[in-house]
Amino acid sequence: MRYADLHQWSISDPNGFWMEQAQKIDWVRPPSKALFDDNAPLYEWFKDGLVNTCWNALDRHVDAGRGEQVAVIHDSPVTHSKRELTYREMRDRVASLAGALRAKGVQKGDRVIIYMPMIPEALEAMLACARLGAIHSVVFGGFAANELAVRINDAQPKCIIAASCGLEPGRVIHYKPLLDGAIELASHTPDFCVIFQREQEVAKLTDGRDYDWHAFQYGVASAECVPVEGDHPAYVLYTSGTTGQPKGVVRPTAGHLVALQWTMKNIYDVDPGDVFWAASDVGWVVGHSYICYAPLIAGNTTIVFEGKPIGTPDAGTFWRVISEHKVKSFFTAPTAFRAVKREDPKGEFVGKYDLSCLKTVYLAGERADPDTIEWAQDQLKVPVIDHWWQTESGWPIAANPMGVEPLPVKLGSPAVAMPGYDIHVLDEGGNPVGANTLGAIAIKLPLPPGTLPTLWNAEDRFRKSYLDQFPGYYATGDAGYVDADGYVYIMARTDDVINVAGHRLSTGGMEEVLASHPDVAECAVIGIADDLKGQLPLGFLCLNSGTTRDNAAIAQECVKLVRDRIGPVAAFKLAVVVDRLPKTRSGKILRATMASIADGKDYKMPATIDDPAILPEIAKALQGLGYPKG
Ligand code: COA
Ligand code: AMP
């Protein structure tokens, strides 16, 4: 079937389309229909089915004769090690871990926080939860203790599974003190923790609370897969919103299985047995969907890569991994390619490896600039496909469906709407705008299976954040346009979210931290353009009157405060003291105008500006930091 017919079918007959796709999943009890709309505008999929994610990701492949196929390859240049685990080994290890968790009281519906680096045990922990119907929430290792504490309080986990340490190039991330600090800070206390001891740093366990990953599995019976209802939450993944309180995106079990299974052949063009590599981190949605779940559900081999695009040891690492493990489809973020391009612009490392196995490259997580795509295409001689999605969607909203019908690539566009996504561009009043006209990108409800049905413990926030702005639509938070051929162009966020190295961060969250500094009276954080990371956060600080301390020292303290409270991943290194912030007459800070000045872009003087004389002061402060560049 051609792409256009397929998409049309998915929109006009969602039940027919998705029930057909659901046949690729093993059900304990098949659903009677796909879409449950009795509670609209809240929708659910496959609600009356019974199913288990771990069964579909592991056990069924062993039963079907794939037991000896490698399921997971750990390639870790930071520890100079490589390891392979077959589907049979994964099933047995996960069943054993699940058995031990069950023996300590973890049951269907309990929450389990996972705080682990890029090791196969992170996937095992996720799948062990799925086996029991426990709801995991993975927290990215680059977050500080306070961010972990916020998630502990919201998810109220019965158990936390962590590793003793993570490894960033040149430094050990001491997970255990971060975990202890977070538990100390949090008002909720987990019943117990499981610690995977890495040989690079063995952590001291807290008696009576912490159990050793291996030891606590001793003598415990393995767990079978627990069937769960189709709408049972598979996991909660926290993502940045406009405030410091992250949003707990809920992933529904059955829709997740059906949608991810569909994507592997139809978008990523891989068949069972093919090697698929997403060079992301299990702490992000890309890692959930395309390092852990989708490749395993579809019977592929997935790679858990513990390294960086450059420096581990060089800008040829990606090509080595692709060549050595025979990767067919490779998924990374544009930032990673920009980093490689900066170190190896002529692609000298590319020539050192046989990349004939590689058929397609996929980019997501941030806007893919045409230069980067062209560079990658020239070097790798394969299609480089931009695709657009969000933590909320869990799988691509717009992509080039390479396994259905490769469509012409238009640079700057993540291509066309995927099944079930009815993409519209709306003006401020919620009216559809014509082709090539900029507006808010919204998706007509219902969203397809696998997308968020709500936010964890926060249905009101879900409605307010996504449904209330344009009734009948899901507001994506992205602005852009659709051209006459249906190609989508994502241009900017409409909220206070910025994208730093493919990582989604809240400027509002950073402002909350800065405002807690005793000398700071008022502040604003903006995202400024950066050649490598796409955007970088920059903070303006107005100090309390009468403060006599050195401005530079206060700015440095603020940088440290954000690193300590949010974590290194915030990449907050630029802060400057100013006397005043530009505002509208109603008191709204003109962040977009400040960002335009920092980026050296032309901007229109906002008609509502209170005091235009502040803008030159802002420009001067930015010049002091070296902005605009060039
Ligand atoms: N645990 C602890 N700290 C981490 C971490 C983790 N898992 N991941 C990143 N950090 C730290 C980094 O060490 C860095 O610390 P520093 O300020 O002391 O240098 C900080 O967080 C910022 O990290 P990052 O923005 O990633 O920058 P970097 O300089 O370390 O690396 C790139 C630059 C381009 C190599 C890197 O950003 C990259 O690989 N980007 C691709 C991103 C990606 O795949 N995103 C997934 C979205 S799909
Ligand atoms: P996250 O939830 O972390 O995956 O971030 C989602 C956000 O990243 C989206 O809302 C977009 O703003 C941005 N994004 C992701 N993929 C793309 C893309 N291909 N092009 C442009 N922006 C993207």
Side-chain angles (χ1 to χ4, degrees), residues 214-284:
H214 294 292
F216 103 125
Q217 296 183 42
Y218 178 76
V220 175
S222 292
E224 292 308 315
C225 296
V226 175
V228 303
E229 298 73 22
D231 61 340
H232 181 71
Y235 67 77
V236 175
L237 178 58
Y238 289 90
T239 189
S240 300
T242 46
T243 67
Q245 177 65 29
K247 295 168 166 171
V249 168
V250 173
R251 187 76 55 218
T253 298
H256 182 230
L257 279 165
V258 174
L260 291 188
Q261 167 81 50
W262 184 87
T263 61
M264 290 311 284
K265 175 64 196 164
N266 294 293
I267 298 181
Y268 300 106
D269 198 19
V270 283
D271 293 301
D274 286 340
V275 183
F276 178 86
W277 177 27
S280 178
D281 188 288
V282 284
W284 309 116

Side-chain angles (χ1 to χ4, degrees), residues 279-522:
S280 178
D281 188 288
V282 284
W284 309 116
V285 68
V286 174
H288 280 63
S289 295
Y290 292 107
I291 296 173
C292 183
Y293 288 113
L296 296 179
I297 291 164
N300 297 116
T301 298
T302 184
I303 299 183
V304 174
F305 173 70
E306 192 178 22
K308 301 272 174 179
I310 50 170
T312 61
D314 54 40
T317 304
F318 276 180
W319 324 134
R320 177 196 55 82
V321 173
I322 291 169
S323 156
E324 208 172 303
H325 304 301
K326 309 249 170 317
V327 173
K328 186 173 175 197
S329 285
F330 173 50
F331 180 159
T332 188
T335 299
F337 273 178
R338 286 194 295 267
V340 174
K341 179 179 162 207
R342 187 182 271 194
E343 295 244 320
D344 183 21
K346 296 206 187 100
E348 282 164 14
F349 278 106
V350 180
K352 295 188 178 168
Y353 298 94
D354 173 6
L355 299 179
S356 54
C357 53
L358 183 68
K359 298 291 174 245
T360 321
V361 170
Y362 296 82
L363 297 178
E366 59 182 311
R367 185 173 158 73
D369 51 294
D371 279 358
T372 301
I373 296 193
E374 277 176 327
W375 175 83
Q377 268 169 353
D378 287 350
Q379 296 304 329
L380 303 170
K381 314 268 185 288
V382 296
V384 177
I385 304 297
D386 181 15
H387 62 329
W388 167 57
W389 50 301
Q390 313 182 308
T391 305
E392 289 85 343
S393 69
W395 59 283
I397 305 172
N400 196 327
M402 297 301 281
V404 177
E405 176 193 0
L407 300 173
V409 170
K410 294 197 192 186
L411 287 181
S413 167
V416 294
M418 288 296 93
Y421 290 105
D422 190 3
I423 299 177
H424 293 256
V425 182
L426 307 178
D427 66 17
E428 278 179 11
N431 307 304
V433 299
N436 298 313
T437 309
L438 205 61
I441 304 190
I443 300 164
K444 195 146 193 262
L445 295 171
L447 292 174
T451 56
L452 83 171
T454 189
L455 292 174
W456 183 253
N457 280 339
E459 190 183 306
D460 274 0
R461 189 175 183 197
F462 172 69
R463 288 175 185 268
K464 277 197 199 99
S465 306
Y466 303 107
L467 305 184
D468 289 356
Q469 192 184 358
F470 305 118
Y473 294 86
Y474 163 87
T476 63
D478 283 316
Y481 60 93
V482 176
D483 74 9
D485 299 325
Y487 279 61
V488 180
Y489 293 77
I490 307 296
M491 305 310 287
R493 290 285 305 188
T494 56
D495 55 14
D496 296 334
V497 166
I498 57 170
N499 198 313
V500 179
H503 305 141
R504 175 166 157 181
L505 299 167
S506 163
T507 52
M510 293 185 214
E511 287 175 4
E512 284 172 27
V513 174
L514 297 177
S516 73
H517 187 285
D519 292 324
V520 172
E522 198 179 23

Side-chain angles (χ1 to χ4, degrees), residues 88-110:
R88 186 184 307 283
E89 286 167 330
M90 280 297 286
R91 182 202 57 186
D92 294 347
R93 291 166 65 92
V94 167
S96 167
L97 177 63
L101 290 169
R102 185 180 57 188
K104 289 264 169 295
V106 176
Q107 294 177 6
K108 178 184 165 198
D110 288 339

Side-chain angles (χ1 to χ4, degrees), residues 536-604:
L536 279 181
L538 183 152
F540 295 96
L541 313 166
C542 297
L543 305 184
N544 292 319
S545 60
T547 304
T548 50
R549 298 185 52 225
D550 178 42
N551 286 354
I554 294 173
Q556 276 322 300
E557 286 166 14
C558 284
V559 166
K560 183 168 181 310
L561 203 58
V562 175
R563 193 177 173 92
D564 290 348
R565 291 264 190 88
I566 298 181
V569 68
F572 183 83
K573 295 188 174 160
L574 299 166
V576 63
V577 172
V578 292
D579 284 339
R580 301 172 296 170
L581 292 171
K583 292 184 184 170
T584 62
R585 282 187 285 277
S586 60
K588 197 171 167 304
I589 298 173
L590 293 163
R591 292 183 180 76
T593 309
M594 292 195 286
S596 296
I597 298 173
D599 293 345
K601 280 201 217 145
D602 289 339
Y603 63 92
K604 260 213 315 247

